[in-house]
Amino acid sequence: MKILLAVDGSKHAMAATIKCCEIVSLDNETEIRILAVADIPIFAGTEPFGVSSEFNARMADEANKLAEKFAAETKATVIEKLGDKVSVETKVLHGSPKVEIVEE
């Protein structure tokens, strides 16, 4: 069984994670891919009236760090609930969550 578990750090994503752990079939072929998508905002405008490229880079870095954190926390929860009975991997993508999740 292959499961794609998309997470965003919300209480709803954690509830979905817990439910997934409750209903998953535990065998050597079960694979869970935890997916978090960094929705990176780009603020338009040029200096001095807009934002700097450094600000946009900082925002992208923060969005990526948050997505990595959400994926890691979810992986820890899955391993805590299921142990090493399933294969668990994390993946962080960048872009629109609704597009990236469907494409994955």
Side-chain angles (χ1 to χ4, degrees):
M1 174 187 316
K2 292 185 179 188
I3 298 168
L4 178 63
L5 184 59
V7 297
D8 62 1
S10 69
K11 65 181 181 179
H12 303 292
M14 187 51 69
T17 300
I18 301 299
K19 190 61 160 176
C20 174
C21 292
E22 290 172 358
I23 65 174
V24 69
S25 163
L26 297 178
D27 61 40
N28 291 337
E29 295 184 21
T30 299
E31 299 174 13
I32 299 175
R33 176 175 291 165
I34 299 165
L35 177 65
V37 181
D39 190 5
I40 300 173
I42 301 296
F43 298 97
T46 57
E47 294 181 79
F49 304 107
V51 296
S52 67
S53 59
E54 290 84 15
F55 178 80
N56 279 329
R58 246 189 346 259
M59 293 298 291
D61 185 51
E62 287 301 315
N64 191 57
K65 285 179 184 175
L66 269 177
E68 288 176 356
K69 177 181 177 240
F70 298 152
E73 288 173 349
T74 303
K75 182 176 182 176
T77 299
V78 170
I79 291 172
E80 176 186 321
K81 300 284 184 191
L82 301 177
D84 60 356
K85 298 173 186 167
V86 296
S87 169
V88 182
E89 72 174 46
T90 61
K91 188 171 187 179
V92 174
L93 298 175
H94 305 95
S96 167
K98 61 186 176 186
V99 171
E100 296 300 327
I101 292 167
V102 170
E103 290 201 10
E104 182 65 22

